[in-house]
Coordinates of all heavy atoms in Angstrom, one line a residue:
G393 N 0.8 -1.2 0.0 CA 0.0 0.0 0.0 C 0.9 1.3 0.0 O 2.1 1.2 0.2
R394 N 0.3 2.3 -0.3 CA 0.9 3.7 -0.3 C 1.0 4.2 1.0 O 0.0 4.2 1.8 CB 0.2 4.6 -1.2 CG 0.5 4.6 -2.6 CD -0.1 5.8 -3.3 NE 0.1 5.6 -4.7 CZ -0.2 6.6 -5.5 NH1 -0.7 7.7 -5.0 NH2 0.1 6.5 -6.8
A395 N 2.1 4.8 1.4 CA 2.3 5.6 2.6 C 1.5 6.9 2.4 O 1.8 7.6 1.3 CB 3.7 5.8 3.0
F396 N 0.8 7.4 3.3 CA 0.1 8.6 3.2 C 0.4 9.5 4.3 O 0.4 9.1 5.4 CB -1.4 8.3 3.2 CG -2.2 9.2 2.3 CD1 -2.2 9.0 0.9 CD2 -2.9 10.2 2.8 CE1 -3.1 9.7 0.1 CE2 -3.7 11.1 2.0 CZ -3.8 10.7 0.7
F397 N 0.9 10.8 4.0 CA 1.2 11.7 5.1 C 0.4 12.9 5.1 O 0.3 13.5 3.9 CB 2.7 12.0 5.1 CG 3.2 12.9 6.2 CD1 3.4 12.4 7.4 CD2 3.4 14.3 6.0 CE1 3.7 13.2 8.5 CE2 3.8 15.0 7.1 CZ 4.0 14.5 8.3
C398 N -0.3 13.2 6.1 CA -1.1 14.4 6.1 C -0.3 15.6 6.6 O 0.2 15.7 7.8 CB -2.3 14.2 7.0 SG -3.5 15.6 7.0
F399 N -0.1 16.6 5.8 CA 0.6 17.8 6.1 C -0.1 18.8 6.9 O 0.5 19.6 7.6 CB 1.1 18.5 4.8 CG 2.2 17.9 4.1 CD1 1.9 17.1 3.0 CD2 3.5 18.0 4.5 CE1 3.0 16.4 2.3 CE2 4.5 17.3 3.9 CZ 4.3 16.5 2.7
S400 N -1.4 18.7 7.0 CA -2.2 19.7 7.8 C -1.9 19.7 9.2 O -1.9 20.7 9.8 CB -3.7 19.5 7.5 OG -4.0 18.2 8.2
R401 N -1.5 18.6 9.8 CA -1.1 18.6 11.2 C 0.3 19.1 11.4 O 0.7 19.6 12.5 CB -1.2 17.2 11.8 CG -2.7 16.8 11.8 CD -2.8 15.4 12.4 NE -4.1 14.8 12.2 CZ -5.0 14.6 13.2 NH1 -4.6 14.8 14.4 NH2 -6.2 14.2 12.9
A402 N 1.2 19.0 10.4 CA 2.6 19.4 10.5 C 2.7 21.0 10.4 O 3.7 21.5 10.9 CB 3.4 18.8 9.5
L403 N 1.8 21.6 9.7 CA 1.9 23.0 9.5 C 1.1 23.8 10.4 O 0.1 23.4 10.9 CB 1.3 23.4 8.0 CG 2.0 22.7 6.9 CD1 1.3 23.0 5.6 CD2 3.5 23.2 6.7
P404 N 1.7 24.9 11.0 CA 1.0 25.7 12.0 C -0.3 26.3 11.3 O -0.2 26.7 10.2 CB 2.0 26.8 12.4 CG 3.0 26.7 11.3 CD 3.0 25.4 10.7
R405 N -1.3 26.3 12.1 CA -2.5 26.9 11.6 C -2.3 28.5 11.7 O -1.9 29.0 12.6 CB -3.7 26.5 12.4 CG -4.1 25.1 12.2 CD -5.3 24.7 13.0 NE -5.6 23.3 12.9 CZ -6.6 22.9 12.1 NH1 -7.4 23.7 11.6 NH2 -6.8 21.6 12.0
R406 N -2.9 29.1 10.7 CA -2.9 30.7 10.6 C -4.1 31.1 11.5 O -5.2 30.6 11.4 CB -3.1 31.2 9.2 CG -1.8 31.0 8.4 CD -1.9 31.7 7.2 NE -2.0 33.1 7.4 CZ -2.1 34.0 6.4 NH1 -2.2 33.6 5.2 NH2 -2.2 35.3 6.7
R407 N -3.8 32.0 12.4 CA -4.9 32.6 13.3 C -5.4 33.7 12.5 O -4.8 34.4 11.8 CB -4.3 33.0 14.6 CG -3.9 31.7 15.4 CD -3.2 32.0 16.7 NE -3.3 33.3 17.2 CZ -2.9 33.6 18.5 NH1 -2.3 32.7 19.2 NH2 -3.0 34.8 18.9
A408 N -6.7 33.9 12.8 CA -7.4 35.2 12.2 C -6.7 36.4 12.8 O -6.2 36.4 13.9 CB -8.8 35.2 12.6
R409 N -6.6 37.4 12.1 CA -6.0 38.7 12.4 C -6.4 39.2 13.8 O -5.6 39.5 14.6 CB -6.2 39.7 11.4 CG -5.3 40.9 11.6 CD -5.4 41.9 10.4 NE -5.5 43.2 10.9 CZ -6.3 44.2 10.5 NH1 -7.1 43.9 9.5 NH2 -6.2 45.3 11.0
S410 N -7.7 39.2 14.0 CA -8.2 39.7 15.3 C -7.9 38.8 16.5 O -7.8 39.2 17.5 CB -9.7 40.0 15.2 OG -10.4 38.7 14.9
A411 N -7.9 37.5 16.2 CA -7.5 36.5 17.2 C -6.1 36.6 17.7 O -5.8 36.3 18.8 CB -7.8 35.1 16.8
A412 N -5.3 37.2 16.9 CA -3.8 37.3 17.2 C -3.7 38.5 18.2 O -2.7 38.6 18.9 CB -3.0 37.6 15.9
M413 N -4.6 39.4 18.2 CA -4.6 40.6 19.1 C -5.3 40.2 20.4 O -6.4 39.7 20.4 CB -5.2 41.8 18.4 CG -5.2 43.0 19.2 SD -6.0 44.5 18.5 CE -4.7 45.0 17.4
S414 N -4.6 40.6 21.4 CA -5.3 40.4 22.8 C -6.1 41.6 23.2 O -5.9 42.8 22.5 CB -4.2 40.1 23.9 OG -3.4 41.4 24.0
V415 N -6.9 41.6 24.2 CA -7.7 42.6 24.6 C -6.7 43.7 25.2 O -6.9 44.9 24.9 CB -8.7 42.3 25.7 CG1 -9.4 43.5 26.4 CG2 -9.7 41.3 25.1
Q416 N -5.6 43.3 25.8 CA -4.6 44.3 26.3 C -4.1 45.0 25.1 O -3.9 46.2 25.2 CB -3.5 43.6 27.0 CG -2.5 44.5 27.6 CD -1.4 43.8 28.4 OE1 -1.5 42.7 28.7 NE2 -0.5 44.6 28.9
D417 N -3.7 44.4 24.0 CA -3.2 45.0 22.8 C -4.2 46.0 22.3 O -3.8 47.1 21.9 CB -2.9 44.0 21.7 CG -1.7 43.1 22.0 OD1 -0.8 43.4 22.8 OD2 -1.7 42.0 21.4
L418 N -5.5 45.6 22.2 CA -6.6 46.5 21.7 C -6.6 47.7 22.6 O -6.7 48.8 22.1 CB -7.8 45.6 21.7 CG -9.1 46.5 21.3 CD1 -9.1 46.9 19.8 CD2 -10.3 45.6 21.5
V419 N -6.8 47.6 23.9 CA -6.9 48.7 24.8 C -5.7 49.6 24.7 O -5.8 50.7 24.7 CB -7.1 48.2 26.2 CG1 -7.0 49.3 27.2 CG2 -8.5 47.5 26.4
T420 N -4.5 49.1 24.7 CA -3.2 49.9 24.6 C -3.2 50.6 23.3 O -2.9 51.8 23.3 CB -2.0 48.9 24.8 OG1 -2.1 48.3 26.0 CG2 -0.8 49.8 24.7
N421 N -3.5 49.9 22.2 CA -3.5 50.6 20.8 C -4.5 51.8 20.8 O -4.1 52.9 20.3 CB -3.7 49.6 19.7 CG -2.6 48.6 19.6 OD1 -1.5 48.8 20.1 ND2 -2.9 47.5 18.9
V422 N -5.7 51.5 21.2 CA -6.7 52.6 21.1 C -6.3 53.6 22.1 O -6.5 54.8 21.7 CB -8.1 52.0 21.4 CG1 -9.1 53.1 21.6 CG2 -8.5 51.0 20.4
G423 N -5.8 53.4 23.3 CA -5.4 54.4 24.1 C -4.3 55.3 23.6 O -4.3 56.5 23.7
T424 N -3.3 54.7 22.9 CA -2.2 55.4 22.2 C -2.8 56.3 21.2 O -2.4 57.5 21.1 CB -1.2 54.4 21.7 OG1 -0.7 53.6 22.7 CG2 -0.1 55.1 20.9
K425 N -3.8 55.8 20.4 CA -4.4 56.5 19.3 C -5.1 57.8 19.9 O -5.1 58.8 19.3 CB -5.4 55.7 18.6 CG -6.2 56.4 17.5 CD -7.1 55.5 16.8 CE -8.1 56.2 15.9 NZ -9.2 55.3 15.4
L426 N -5.5 57.7 21.1 CA -6.3 58.8 21.8 C -5.3 59.6 22.6 O -5.8 60.5 23.5 CB -7.5 58.3 22.6 CG -8.6 57.6 21.8 CD1 -9.6 57.0 22.8 CD2 -9.2 58.6 20.8
G427 N -4.1 59.3 22.5 CA -3.0 60.2 23.3 C -2.9 59.8 24.8 O -2.5 60.6 25.7
R428 N -3.3 58.6 25.1 CA -3.2 58.1 26.5 C -2.1 57.1 26.7 O -1.9 56.3 25.8 CB -4.6 57.5 26.9 CG -5.7 58.4 26.8 CD -5.7 59.6 27.7 NE -6.9 60.4 27.7 CZ -7.0 61.7 27.3 NH1 -5.9 62.2 26.9 NH2 -8.1 62.3 27.4
S429 N -1.6 57.0 27.9 CA -0.5 56.1 28.2 C -1.2 54.7 28.6 O -2.4 54.7 28.8 CB 0.4 56.6 29.3 OG -0.4 56.5 30.5
E430 N -0.2 53.7 28.6 CA -0.6 52.4 29.0 C -1.2 52.5 30.5 O -2.2 51.8 30.8 CB 0.6 51.4 29.0 CG 0.1 50.0 29.1 CD 1.2 48.9 28.7 OE1 2.2 49.4 28.0 OE2 1.1 47.9 29.1
E431 N -0.5 53.3 31.3 CA -1.0 53.4 32.7 C -2.4 54.1 32.7 O -3.2 53.7 33.6 CB 0.0 54.3 33.5 CG 1.3 53.6 33.7 CD 2.3 53.7 32.5 OE1 2.2 54.6 31.7 OE2 3.1 52.7 32.4
D432 N -2.6 55.0 31.8 CA -4.0 55.6 31.8 C -5.1 54.7 31.5 O -6.2 54.8 32.0 CB -4.0 56.8 30.7 CG -3.2 58.0 31.0 OD1 -2.9 58.2 32.3 OD2 -2.8 58.7 30.0
V433 N -4.8 53.7 30.7 CA -5.9 52.8 30.2 C -5.9 51.5 31.0 O -6.9 50.7 30.8 CB -5.8 52.4 28.7 CG1 -6.0 53.8 27.9 CG2 -4.5 51.8 28.3
Q434 N -5.0 51.3 31.9 CA -5.0 50.1 32.7 C -6.3 49.8 33.5 O -6.8 48.7 33.4 CB -3.8 50.0 33.6 CG -3.6 48.7 34.5 CD -3.5 47.5 33.7 OE1 -2.7 47.4 32.7 NE2 -4.2 46.5 34.0
P435 N -6.8 50.8 34.1 CA -8.1 50.6 34.8 C -9.2 50.1 33.9 O -10.1 49.3 34.3 CB -8.5 51.9 35.4 CG -7.2 52.7 35.5 CD -6.3 52.1 34.3
Y436 N -9.2 50.5 32.6 CA -10.3 50.1 31.6 C -10.1 48.7 31.2 O -11.0 47.9 31.0 CB -10.4 51.1 30.5 CG -10.4 52.5 31.0 CD1 -9.6 53.5 30.4 CD2 -11.3 52.9 31.9 CE1 -9.7 54.8 30.9 CE2 -11.3 54.2 32.4 CZ -10.6 55.2 31.9 OH -10.6 56.5 32.3
L437 N -8.8 48.3 31.1 CA -8.5 46.9 30.8 C -8.9 46.0 31.9 O -9.6 44.9 31.6 CB -7.0 46.7 30.6 CG -6.5 45.3 30.4 CD1 -7.1 44.6 29.2 CD2 -5.0 45.3 30.3
T438 N -8.7 46.4 33.2 CA -9.1 45.6 34.3 C -10.7 45.5 34.3 O -11.2 44.4 34.6 CB -8.7 46.2 35.6 OG1 -7.1 46.3 35.6 CG2 -9.1 45.5 36.9
A439 N -11.4 46.6 34.1 CA -12.8 46.6 34.0 C -13.3 45.6 33.0 O -14.3 44.8 33.2 CB -13.4 48.0 33.8
L440 N -12.7 45.6 31.8 CA -13.1 44.7 30.7 C -12.9 43.3 31.2 O -13.8 42.4 31.0 CB -12.3 45.0 29.4 CG -12.8 46.3 28.8 CD1 -11.7 46.6 27.7 CD2 -14.2 46.2 28.2
E441 N -11.8 43.0 31.7 CA -11.4 41.6 32.1 C -12.3 41.1 33.3 O -12.8 40.0 33.3 CB -9.9 41.5 32.5 CG -9.0 41.7 31.4 CD -7.5 41.8 31.8 OE1 -7.3 42.0 32.9 OE2 -6.7 41.4 30.9
D442 N -12.6 42.1 34.2 CA -13.5 41.7 35.3 C -14.9 41.4 34.9 O -15.6 40.6 35.6 CB -13.5 42.8 36.3 CG -12.2 43.0 37.1 OD1 -11.4 42.1 37.1 OD2 -12.1 44.0 37.8
N443 N -15.3 41.9 33.7 CA -16.6 41.6 33.2 C -16.6 40.6 32.0 O -17.6 40.7 31.2 CB -17.3 43.0 32.8 CG -17.6 43.7 34.0 OD1 -18.7 43.5 34.6 ND2 -16.8 44.6 34.5
W444 N -15.5 39.9 31.9 CA -15.4 38.7 31.0 C -15.4 39.1 29.5 O -15.7 38.4 28.6 CB -16.6 37.7 31.2 CG -16.5 37.1 32.5 CD1 -15.6 37.3 33.5 CD2 -17.5 36.1 32.9 NE1 -16.0 36.5 34.6 CE2 -17.1 35.8 34.3 CE3 -18.5 35.5 32.4 CZ2 -17.8 34.9 35.1 CZ3 -19.3 34.6 33.1 CH2 -18.9 34.2 34.4
Y445 N -15.0 40.4 29.2 CA -14.7 40.8 27.9 C -13.2 40.4 27.6 O -12.2 41.2 27.8 CB -14.8 42.4 27.7 CG -16.3 42.7 27.6 CD1 -16.9 43.2 28.8 CD2 -17.0 42.7 26.5 CE1 -18.2 43.7 28.9 CE2 -18.3 43.1 26.5 CZ -18.9 43.5 27.7 OH -20.2 43.9 27.7
D446 N -13.0 39.1 27.3 CA -11.7 38.5 27.2 C -11.2 38.3 25.8 O -10.1 37.8 25.7 CB -11.7 37.2 28.0 CG -12.7 36.2 27.5 OD1 -13.5 36.6 26.7 OD2 -12.8 35.1 28.1
T447 N -11.9 38.8 24.8 CA -11.4 38.7 23.4 C -11.8 40.0 22.7 O -12.8 40.6 23.2 CB -12.0 37.5 22.6 OG1 -13.4 37.8 22.5 CG2 -11.7 36.2 23.2
P448 N -11.0 40.4 21.7 CA -11.4 41.6 20.9 C -12.7 41.5 20.3 O -13.5 42.5 20.2 CB -10.3 41.7 19.9 CG -9.1 41.1 20.5 CD -9.7 39.9 21.3
E449 N -13.2 40.3 19.9 CA -14.5 40.0 19.4 C -15.6 40.3 20.4 O -16.7 40.9 20.1 CB -14.6 38.6 18.9 CG -13.7 38.3 17.7 CD -12.3 38.0 18.0 OE1 -11.9 37.8 19.2 OE2 -11.5 37.9 17.1
A450 N -15.4 39.9 21.7 CA -16.4 40.2 22.7 C -16.5 41.7 22.9 O -17.6 42.2 23.1 CB -15.9 39.5 24.0
V451 N -15.4 42.4 22.8 CA -15.4 43.9 23.0 C -16.2 44.5 21.8 O -17.0 45.3 22.0 CB -14.0 44.5 23.1 CG1 -14.1 46.0 23.1 CG2 -13.3 44.0 24.4
A452 N -15.9 44.0 20.6 CA -16.5 44.6 19.4 C -18.0 44.3 19.4 O -18.8 45.1 18.8 CB -15.9 44.0 18.2
A453 N -18.4 43.2 20.0 CA -20.0 42.9 20.1 C -20.7 43.7 21.1 O -21.9 43.8 21.0 CB -20.1 41.4 20.4
A454 N -20.0 44.4 22.0 CA -20.7 45.2 23.0 C -21.0 46.6 22.4 O -20.6 47.0 21.3 CB -19.7 45.5 24.2
S455 N -22.0 47.2 23.0 CA -22.4 48.6 22.6 C -21.5 49.6 23.4 O -20.9 49.3 24.5 CB -23.8 48.8 22.9 OG -24.1 48.9 24.3
A456 N -21.4 50.8 22.9 CA -20.8 51.9 23.7 C -21.5 52.1 25.0 O -20.7 52.3 26.0 CB -20.8 53.2 22.9
D457 N -22.7 51.9 25.1 CA -23.4 52.0 26.4 C -23.0 50.9 27.3 O -22.8 51.2 28.5 CB -25.0 51.9 26.2 CG -25.5 53.3 25.5 OD1 -24.8 54.3 25.6 OD2 -26.5 53.2 24.9
D458 N -22.8 49.7 26.8 CA -22.4 48.6 27.7 C -21.0 49.0 28.3 O -20.8 48.7 29.5 CB -22.2 47.3 26.9 CG -23.6 46.7 26.4 OD1 -24.6 47.0 27.0 OD2 -23.5 46.0 25.4
L459 N -20.1 49.4 27.5 CA -18.8 49.6 27.9 C -18.7 50.9 28.8 O -17.9 50.9 29.8 CB -17.8 49.8 26.8 CG -17.7 48.5 25.9 CD1 -16.7 48.8 24.7 CD2 -17.4 47.3 26.6
A460 N -19.5 51.9 28.5 CA -19.5 53.1 29.4 C -20.1 52.8 30.7 O -19.7 53.3 31.7 CB -20.4 54.2 28.7
A461 N -21.0 51.8 30.8 CA -21.6 51.4 32.1 C -20.5 50.7 33.0 O -20.7 50.7 34.2 CB -22.8 50.4 31.8
L462 N -19.5 50.3 32.4 CA -18.3 49.7 33.1 C -17.4 50.7 33.6 O -16.4 50.4 34.3 CB -17.6 48.7 32.2 CG -18.4 47.5 31.7 CD1 -17.5 46.6 30.8 CD2 -18.9 46.7 32.8
G463 N -17.6 52.0 33.3 CA -16.7 53.1 33.7 C -15.8 53.5 32.6 O -14.9 54.4 32.9
L464 N -15.9 53.0 31.4 CA -15.0 53.5 30.3 C -15.5 54.8 29.8 O -16.8 55.0 29.6 CB -14.9 52.5 29.2 CG -14.0 51.3 29.3 CD1 -14.4 50.3 30.5 CD2 -13.9 50.5 28.1
P465 N -14.6 55.7 29.4 CA -15.1 57.0 28.8 C -15.7 56.5 27.5 O -15.3 55.7 26.7 CB -13.8 57.8 28.6 CG -12.9 57.1 29.5 CD -13.2 55.7 29.7
R466 N -16.8 57.3 27.2 CA -17.6 57.0 25.9 C -16.8 57.0 24.7 O -16.9 56.1 23.8 CB -18.8 57.9 25.8 CG -19.7 57.6 24.6 CD -20.9 58.4 24.4 NE -22.1 57.8 25.1 CZ -22.6 56.6 24.9 NH1 -21.9 55.8 24.1 NH2 -23.8 56.2 25.4
R467 N -15.9 58.1 24.5 CA -15.1 58.1 23.3 C -14.2 56.9 23.2 O -14.0 56.4 22.1 CB -14.3 59.4 23.3 CG -13.4 59.6 22.0 CD -12.7 60.9 21.9 NE -11.9 60.9 20.8 CZ -10.7 61.5 20.7 NH1 -10.3 62.2 21.8 NH2 -10.0 61.5 19.7
F468 N -13.6 56.5 24.3 CA -12.8 55.3 24.3 C -13.6 54.1 24.0 O -13.1 53.3 23.2 CB -12.2 55.1 25.8 CG -11.1 54.1 25.8 CD1 -9.9 54.2 25.2 CD2 -11.2 53.0 26.6 CE1 -8.9 53.2 25.3 CE2 -10.3 52.1 26.7 CZ -9.1 52.2 26.0
A469 N -14.8 53.9 24.5 CA -15.7 52.8 24.2 C -15.9 52.8 22.7 O -15.9 51.7 22.0 CB -16.9 52.9 25.0
V470 N -16.3 53.9 22.2 CA -16.6 53.9 20.7 C -15.4 53.6 19.8 O -15.5 52.7 18.9 CB -17.2 55.4 20.3 CG1 -17.1 55.6 18.8 CG2 -18.5 55.7 21.0
E471 N -14.3 54.0 20.2 CA -13.1 53.6 19.5 C -12.6 52.2 19.6 O -12.2 51.6 18.7 CB -11.9 54.6 19.9 CG -12.0 56.0 19.5 CD -11.9 56.3 18.0 OE1 -11.3 55.5 17.3 OE2 -12.6 57.2 17.5
L472 N -12.9 51.6 20.8 CA -12.6 50.2 21.1 C -13.5 49.3 20.1 O -13.0 48.4 19.5 CB -12.9 49.8 22.4 CG -11.8 50.0 23.6 CD1 -12.4 49.6 24.9 CD2 -10.5 49.3 23.2
I473 N -14.7 49.7 20.1 CA -15.7 48.8 19.2 C -15.3 48.9 17.8 O -15.3 48.0 17.0 CB -17.1 49.4 19.5 CG1 -17.5 49.0 20.9 CG2 -18.1 48.8 18.5 CD1 -18.8 49.6 21.4
A474 N -14.9 50.2 17.4 CA -14.6 50.4 15.9 C -13.2 49.8 15.5 O -12.9 49.5 14.4 CB -14.6 51.9 15.7
A475 N -12.4 49.6 16.6 CA -11.0 49.0 16.2 C -10.9 47.7 15.7 O -11.2 46.8 15.5 CB -10.0 49.2 17.5

């Protein structure tokens, strides 16, 4: 019989672009875009994590009102969702 080798398991899978970014990366990048330091946005990262927004997709699925209710500034919330 013929030997058969499946390459799909040997090759690393490509992750979706958004999956490669963490919530911390998202928060830091948006904060930088808005002229804020990593220290400035740390409390907002903590609020997101405390409320189980653990992926960029989860953040994007939220409304600005949802995120503002967690204590995030509205402009920051709008930019996070759009990012």
Side-chain angles (χ1 to χ4, degrees):
R394 271 189 188 191
F396 215 79
F397 184 75
C398 181
F399 285 100
S400 65
R401 293 179 191 248
L403 298 174
R405 292 180 181 252
R406 290 186 64 182
R407 292 175 15 172
R409 190 172 139 223
S410 61
M413 179 180 284
S414 69
V415 174
Q416 180 174 357
D417 293 336
L418 176 66
V419 168
T420 301
N421 292 345
V422 170
T424 299
K425 178 181 172 186
L426 296 175
R428 304 294 187 240
S429 70
E430 194 169 339
E431 293 78 26
D432 290 337
V433 299
Q434 182 61 44
Y436 310 131
L437 173 61
T438 301
L440 290 168
E441 290 173 339
D442 287 350
N443 287 278
W444 299 359
Y445 288 97
D446 53 358
T447 66
E449 293 80 11
V451 175
S455 70
D457 288 339
D458 292 336
L459 300 182
L462 301 178
L464 279 66
R466 183 172 265 310
R467 182 172 176 217
F468 189 65
V470 169
E471 293 292 332
L472 277 178
I473 292 167

